[in-house]
Amino acid sequence: MTSAASAATITNRGDKEVKLTVTEGSSRQDEVLPTGKVIDGVCQKGCIIRLNDNVNDEYELETSESVSVE
């Protein structure tokens, strides 16, 4: 079992909300991240994050990373 302590955290430090598409293995989930908010417990096995459906804004995250959108 994987805990939230070994999962990524994403913070929106920008001035607009951001749509995140989280692809982890064969699972895909869309999230809206409002300005100033944090999503904890994502990417428990590593994943790819896409911002605002833009194929040029894809990032690979490992577990336990803390990243921000600015």
Side-chain angles (χ1 to χ4, degrees):
M1 186 169 168
T2 306
S3 70
S6 63
T9 300
I10 303 170
T11 304
N12 184 353
R13 295 188 180 170
D15 58 359
K16 297 178 184 175
E17 76 177 18
V18 176
K19 178 184 176 191
L20 302 174
T21 302
V22 180
T23 305
E24 188 170 7
S26 62
S27 173
R28 181 181 160 161
Q29 180 179 351
D30 291 324
E31 297 263 351
V32 174
L33 186 58
T35 300
K37 299 299 180 183
V38 177
I39 296 177
D40 289 316
V42 296
C43 302
Q44 294 182 359
K45 297 177 184 176
C47 68
I48 295 177
I49 302 289
R50 180 180 290 176
L51 304 177
N52 295 319
D53 291 325
N54 186 340
V55 101
N56 295 320
D57 277 336
E58 282 191 349
Y59 304 92
E60 187 173 339
L61 297 183
E62 299 294 326
T63 59
S64 71
E65 284 191 272
S66 292
V67 297
S68 62
V69 178
E70 297 182 20

